[in-house]
Amino acid sequence: MTHQPRWALTGIYFIIALLVGVVLGSVVQTQFNLAALQALGVEISPGQRIATTLHDLTSFAPLYAVLFAVGFVVSQAVAVLLSGWLGGRCLALLCTGGAAVGLWATLWLVNTLAPPPTLIAATRGVVGFVAMLATAGVAGWLFAWLRKRMANAKRPRGFSGMAIVWGVGSLAAALGVGQQAEAQEVEESQAEGAYQIETLAEGLAHPWSLAFLPDGRMLVTERLGRLRLLSAEGDTLEASLGGVPEVFASGQAGLFDVRLSPRFEDDRQLYLSYACGNELANHTCLAKGTLEDNGLEDVSEIFRAQPAKQGAAHFGGRLAWLPDGTLVLTLGDGFDYREQAQQLESHIGSLVRLNPDGSVPDDNPFVNRDDARPAIYSYGHRNVQGLVFDADNNRLIAHEHGPRGGDELNVIEAGANYGWPIATGGLDYTGSRVTPFEDYPGTEPPALEWTPSIAPSGMALYSGDLFPEWQGDLLVGALVNKEVRRVRLSEDASIAEDVEGLFGELGERIRDVRQGPEGAIYLLTDSPEGRLLRVMPTHSSAISN
């Protein structure tokens, strides 16, 4: 009887062990994600658990296979070589420990280099992290046990790294790794040719927000912590106004929104939202100050989101005034803290409503509850970066980033739960399900959902006369699509229609969208050399109306 060569058996055993590690890892991460939801009181049936687990085996496992294989190839090769150097001893121990260390090193590298703080959600906690490493250890032990069986069968000795490479290639092919990304078709703007775009200012370092002063001058925040003063023509009058609070600038953290007091001409006060603290303990903060000729004076912090969090992602930071003189500030979930968006004892993942001095209004929805932060106005949000108040229809409108898909446009009601992370139409960045539910009892469905994600940013409600066909529509910046989406809400605000894409010819990430005093549209582009742009009609007759 002809035996298979040792290198072929090594490759087969390696594939078996690798597949076991990938399947176990996928199953474990799913169960930890579901357990986090159950800890919030979410009911998950056995059928939903099985369906979610199977989904993740087809959508999460291919990506995880690539990550897992990197450390597994290296660790098992090193383990076999060390065992050989030790005379064939300790193979099981070396393969088991090596596989766990290999996965740990891979996850550390990915979390260090990738934009999200923690790529695989199940590894956010110590128990989940150790459980994932344990699945790698099982795969390593299995590989050692299979090799030992082969050795006991007295087949030719030797080790072939090529077999492992071949095995990984076969696994990748089996799992469908390397599928081409779906190309997104960019919709042609119906209004193309009806406007002209001019550059007012250049060289802005990741500009984030724009505000107009009564005399026509403009304030622009730059994420690194600068508040720039521009003339009405876009010339820089002050590259960096003094008195801006100290900002934690890293990743998505930095200086965010700027809003004038509703009584600015009398009190000269403005409000700034920003990230404060450091990488290990940071918050979204709100400060107010008085604008003088060369900077801010009497600056004071009036709100700080609690508790502190780690990382530099998902701060929210948009501001909007309500007709009663209260101020709404949006907050993010910190990426790794998504379950706290459902916990009223935490500001994380909520919208807060404040008085101009930072105190809490007496009529906030949770002000009389001992188990809630009294400033919370709504909760269940992921990362809200667009906020406007529609005075004509008396409604507060917000949008928020989903993960892979599931960007939402919501009409905000006091005390309402907007679902994250219990209900979402998006998947995690790894392809795994965040939750089995796209809607869930007690949570508010979005008026509009974008899947695939457009990464919504600044938002304006257009009410000017220069573009009459856009009156009453929302203009939503889209970072991924590199355009502005025009959105129309129904009269009862129950649904919204994404009408068209605008300004896509720029090919730039749009960070903020504002309507100017004259009815023109102003855009900020997000880059190290960002621009302030003004959009005007091309027809002189439209400008004069």
Side-chain angles (χ1 to χ4, degrees), residues 353-411:
R353 174 173 171 255
L354 307 165
N355 290 317
D357 62 357
S359 62
V360 176
D362 293 337
D363 58 347
N364 264 8
F366 304 108
V367 73
N368 294 317
R369 285 183 52 170
D370 294 335
D371 61 343
R373 300 270 182 180
I376 292 177
Y377 190 67
S378 64
Y379 64 107
H381 300 287
R382 187 171 183 267
N383 190 24
V384 183
Q385 292 195 332
L387 185 69
V388 296
F389 182 77
D390 179 359
D392 290 340
N393 295 287
N394 193 37
R395 56 194 182 192
L396 182 64
I397 305 167
H399 67 58
E400 63 188 80
H401 290 261
R404 265 178 55 181
D407 297 346
E408 294 183 0
L409 183 77
N410 292 296
V411 177

Side-chain angles (χ1 to χ4, degrees), residues 67-114:
L67 297 176
F68 183 72
V70 171
F72 199 61
V73 168
V74 175
S75 67
Q76 300 312 287
V78 171
V80 171
L81 291 174
L82 284 176
S83 177
W85 181 70
L86 294 172
R89 296 187 296 272
C90 302
L91 179 62
L93 179 62
L94 290 169
C95 287
T96 301
V101 171
L103 180 58
W104 173 84
T106 301
L107 293 177
W108 175 85
L109 184 63
V110 168
N111 291 338
T112 300
L113 298 178

Side-chain angles (χ1 to χ4, degrees), residues 190-197 462 465-470 518 535-545:
Q190 297 174 5
E192 189 171 350
Y195 57 76
Q196 58 187 2
I197 303 174
Y462 190 74
D465 296 325
L466 296 185
F467 300 96
E469 67 274 22
W470 298 345
E518 80 284 40
V535 183
M536 297 284 284
T538 56
H539 305 297
S540 58
S541 60
I543 298 176
S544 62
N545 288 340

Side-chain angles (χ1 to χ4, degrees), residues 440-478:
Y440 192 80
T443 67
E444 299 296 323
L448 176 65
E449 179 189 294
W450 288 283
T451 298
S453 174
I454 66 167
S457 53
M459 176 169 61
L461 178 66
Y462 190 74
S463 60
D465 296 325
L466 296 185
F467 300 96
E469 67 274 22
W470 298 345
Q471 285 183 352
D473 291 346
L474 297 165
L475 301 177
V476 180

Side-chain angles (χ1 to χ4, degrees), residues 204-209 220-228 244-257 273-275 312 315-316 385 479 509 511 524-528:
L204 308 175
H206 291 288
W208 212 91
S209 180
V220 174
T221 62
E222 295 175 278
R223 199 176 67 210
L224 297 180
R226 288 193 293 266
L227 180 61
R228 188 180 293 258
V244 174
E246 183 178 354
V247 168
F248 166 53
S250 175
Q252 298 174 7
L255 181 60
F256 303 133
D257 214 350
S273 61
Y274 56 99
F315 291 85
Q385 292 195 332
L479 296 168
R509 288 162 53 90
R511 173 56 72 181
L524 289 175
T525 66
D526 181 33
S527 77

Side-chain angles (χ1 to χ4, degrees), residues 52 212 296 428 479 493:
T52 303
F212 299 93
L296 305 180
D428 219 332
L479 296 168

Side-chain angles (χ1 to χ4, degrees), residues 318-376:
R318 288 291 177 189
L319 295 166
W321 290 100
L322 299 184
D324 60 3
T326 59
L327 182 62
V328 176
L329 167 65
T330 73
L331 303 172
D333 70 345
F335 195 90
D336 277 351
Y337 301 84
R338 64 195 189 197
E339 286 79 20
Q340 289 195 35
Q342 290 292 322
Q343 298 168 357
L344 290 173
E345 63 269 21
S346 169
H347 288 132
I348 289 173
S350 72
L351 271 60
V352 295
R353 174 173 171 255
L354 307 165
N355 290 317
D357 62 357
S359 62
V360 176
D362 293 337
D363 58 347
N364 264 8
F366 304 108
V367 73
N368 294 317
R369 285 183 52 170
D370 294 335
D371 61 343
R373 300 270 182 180
I376 292 177

Side-chain angles (χ1 to χ4, degrees), residues 183-201:
Q184 294 184 359
E185 296 183 1
V186 179
E187 184 178 281
E188 293 291 333
S189 169
Q190 297 174 5
E192 189 171 350
Y195 57 76
Q196 58 187 2
I197 303 174
E198 59 179 319
T199 299
L200 296 184

